[in-house]
Amino acid sequence: MPQPAWPEDVVARYLTLSGEIFRDPSMYVEVLRKDGQHSVARCRCCTYDTSRQHDGRAQDMAQAHAETCRALPKPTA
Ligand SMILES: [Zn+2]
């Protein structure tokens, strides 16, 4: 399965545990550049979102979340 396109503001993606089990590259935690200094991490499989926290470690947090996230995204089609 091809990986979804990377918009310009995407800094990093971490495959979730569920994505690893299902071999689905669309199940990941994404790190987005918010401005010059801040990034936010958002999980595409659950409600995990660091945008309300002022923590510069978005990539570390994204990786840590991805390693434990077993959420399955709701099918859209
Ligand atoms: Zn998640």
Side-chain angles (χ1 to χ4, degrees):
M1 192 181 287
Q3 206 184 131
W6 283 55
E8 202 166 302
D9 58 343
V10 172
V11 176
R13 284 176 174 166
Y14 299 92
L15 190 67
T16 65
L17 182 60
S18 300
E20 189 177 326
I21 292 166
F22 286 95
R23 296 177 182 272
D24 184 344
S26 71
M27 297 167 75
Y28 53 78
V29 183
E30 191 162 67
V31 179
L32 300 150
R33 191 181 304 116
K34 207 166 132 190
D35 56 47
Q37 293 181 317
H38 299 95
S39 297
V40 298
R42 285 189 195 128
C43 182
R44 289 182 44 106
C45 301
C46 71
T47 58
Y48 181 77
D49 184 337
T50 64
S51 65
R52 285 180 204 87
Q53 299 175 35
H54 295 284
D55 193 318
R57 296 176 301 112
Q59 280 183 248
D60 292 343
M61 294 168 79
Q63 171 117 46
H65 178 79
E67 286 171 4
T68 57
C69 183
R70 290 175 174 271
L72 300 177
K74 188 175 180 181
T76 51

